[in-house]
Amino acid sequence: MGTLSRQRQGLSDELREYGYVFSAKKSVLLYSVAAFSMLLLGRFFALPFFYRLILVSSLVIILPFFIRNAAKNRFIQQRFSDTSIYIEQFLYSFKRSKKILSALIDVNSLFESGRMKNAVLRAIDHIKHTYNEADVEGHALSIIEKEHPGRVLRMVHRFALDAEKLGGNCDDQILLLLNYRRMMADRIYDLLLKKKRERRNVFISIASSLLLCSGIYFISKRLNVDISKSTLGNIVTTVVLIFDLFIFYRADSFLSAADEEEKEEDEEMEEVYKRMLSCKTNLPLDILKRHAAKKRVKRAIERDYPIWLLETSLLIQNENVQVAITKSYANAPPVLKIPLKKLIVELKMAPDKVEPYLSFLSEFSLPQVRSSMKMLYSLSIGAGGDASSQITDIIRRNQLLFETSERGASEDRLSRLYVLFLLPQLTGGLKLICDMLLLFFGCVRSLG
């Protein structure tokens, strides 16, 4: 009882977080419609009242989680939409004013009410009325990040903080970030549409399998064999219906999964990198661990390397390459901390050599990293051209490569729903076999 109570309390807290407003009238109506639907479904399969009661009880137990999924889905989509609008307007405003406060004031005018509006207002108030902090703007922007967590939002904020502090021309970088936001938004909206389509397909799969199973009841009536009185048949039917309900719940949960941006925790990736380095032996277990860790680290590098390169390009406008790389370490993505520390040490020992640049992340076979490090080496010895345009071009190519990789990963995640699409056919097939056996033995008894 204590565990169930805690689960209900946790569900209630989660619903409040998603902005769900409890209404007794709406809840009674919803539960009544759901219970009536399950009673009709039980009657359709000629289940006795006791088994129909089991079906209704199962739905009553799982219905709050369906409500949670619907509220969570609305919350995630609204938060993503607000964040996307915020990033776009913030970057355009910052491009014009080069001031974080001015950009926030412009953004605030876009939102009439809601969580984003409140967060932006608190951030503006913090900047205007705080005088005893060293990083007022950074703390103000963190207020927004707590309400709307997301990798791209943090990246934009960090870029704005660096650009305001360092100065210089950052128009090309802003255009890159705007393009990155657009590609990300297009990919996620496309993913949401595909998730809805796959959920609908799972529902159709469940409905078609149950409709096929019901045919055996009409055949049994034509043969004057009533299989609905079989205890085994009623148990199997009830189990299949509950299982199909759970299958649809899993498909519905997949739609509301918040895995669009934050698939890996930043802090965790540094530990994964250390784990990869620690697996040095050729024992089978170490080889498997190293391969799994390396795969995760490589994906994180593909995602975060352009972020580091973007910040480095700002630093290069005021510092030489070696100093810019050294200063970039403080705000570098965690997955790059270990290799950057190694690069900085090697550059101090051999500042004019190309080897430190070429060995940076060389174990991951990333052509885009190798080409950008060659470019940084050319700039460090004064042999490069326009640093800003070269870095912009490399980052743009990296963005396209990562976007292609992300779309592929999204398709892989969607493929999990295909298993849920097949399961109702399997459960329906088992029920059909059971009913056919019952019909067969019923016919044999009637003939005997």
Side-chain angles (χ1 to χ4, degrees), residues 359-372:
S359 65
F360 182 65
L361 300 175
S362 58
E363 64 269 34
F364 296 100
S365 301
L366 295 168
Q368 62 270 33
V369 173
R370 189 174 180 85
S371 62
S372 60

Side-chain angles (χ1 to χ4, degrees), residues 315-366:
L315 291 165
I316 287 175
Q317 294 185 34
N318 299 293
E319 309 284 356
N320 64 51
V321 172
Q322 186 176 340
V323 173
I325 290 174
T326 302
K327 287 188 174 182
S328 73
Y329 177 83
N331 292 321
V335 73
L336 295 177
K337 291 281 189 181
I338 295 174
L340 268 178
K341 186 182 293 184
K342 179 173 176 286
L343 173 62
I344 292 168
V345 171
E346 291 176 348
L347 286 176
K348 287 180 180 178
M349 297 174 61
D352 298 328
K353 301 292 184 181
V354 70
E355 284 76 14
Y357 294 91
L358 297 183
S359 65
F360 182 65
L361 300 175
S362 58
E363 64 269 34
F364 296 100
S365 301
L366 295 168

Side-chain angles (χ1 to χ4, degrees), residues 175-359:
L175 292 176
L176 282 173
L177 289 171
L178 285 166
N179 185 57
Y180 183 72
R181 184 215 65 84
R182 180 189 57 78
M183 289 191 297
M184 180 201 68
D186 289 347
R187 169 170 49 83
I188 292 177
Y189 282 130
D190 183 55
L191 178 62
L192 289 172
L193 288 174
K194 288 180 178 178
K195 281 185 175 183
K196 289 181 180 179
R197 183 191 65 200
E198 293 300 326
R199 183 183 62 171
R200 181 198 62 202
N201 290 342
V202 171
F203 177 79
I204 292 174
S205 176
I206 292 172
S208 61
S209 69
L210 292 179
L211 190 62
L212 181 64
C213 291
S214 66
I216 201 76
Y217 288 87
F218 295 101
I219 295 174
S220 67
K221 289 180 180 179
R222 298 287 295 272
L223 297 176
N224 295 319
V225 177
D226 191 2
I227 64 173
S228 65
K229 294 182 178 179
S230 167
T231 302
L232 176 62
N234 290 330
I235 291 174
V236 170
T237 300
T238 304
V239 170
V240 167
L241 290 175
I242 293 174
F243 195 72
D244 284 346
L245 180 64
F246 181 75
I247 290 172
F248 186 69
Y249 165 71
R250 293 296 300 168
D252 190 57
S253 298
F254 193 83
L255 177 66
S256 60
D259 60 351
E260 289 74 30
E261 268 194 275
E262 302 299 320
K263 294 178 286 297
E264 298 285 359
E265 288 294 332
D266 282 343
E267 294 75 11
E268 182 188 357
M269 291 314 303
E270 188 172 4
E271 295 303 316
V272 175
Y273 200 113
K274 291 178 181 178
R275 190 159 64 243
M276 181 194 75
L277 296 177
S278 66
C279 299
K280 296 179 180 179
T281 70
N282 289 323
L283 296 173
L285 185 59
D286 271 0
I287 291 174
L288 289 174
K289 287 181 179 179
R290 185 165 60 244
H291 177 74
K294 187 174 181 178
K295 184 177 180 181
R296 291 180 64 189
V297 170
K298 183 177 180 180
R299 184 165 186 80
I301 290 172
E302 289 174 333
R303 178 194 65 214
D304 290 343
Y305 181 75
I307 300 173
W308 172 78
L309 202 59
L310 195 68
E311 183 175 2
T312 304
S313 69
L314 285 175
L315 291 165
I316 287 175
Q317 294 185 34
N318 299 293
E319 309 284 356
N320 64 51
V321 172
Q322 186 176 340
V323 173
I325 290 174
T326 302
K327 287 188 174 182
S328 73
Y329 177 83
N331 292 321
V335 73
L336 295 177
K337 291 281 189 181
I338 295 174
L340 268 178
K341 186 182 293 184
K342 179 173 176 286
L343 173 62
I344 292 168
V345 171
E346 291 176 348
L347 286 176
K348 287 180 180 178
M349 297 174 61
D352 298 328
K353 301 292 184 181
V354 70
E355 284 76 14
Y357 294 91
L358 297 183
S359 65

Side-chain angles (χ1 to χ4, degrees), residues 38-56:
M38 293 307 285
L39 287 172
L40 282 181
L41 186 62
R43 190 174 189 278
F44 180 74
F45 284 98
L47 289 173
F49 180 76
F50 173 73
Y51 295 97
R52 297 185 204 177
L53 194 61
I54 293 175
L55 288 178
V56 172

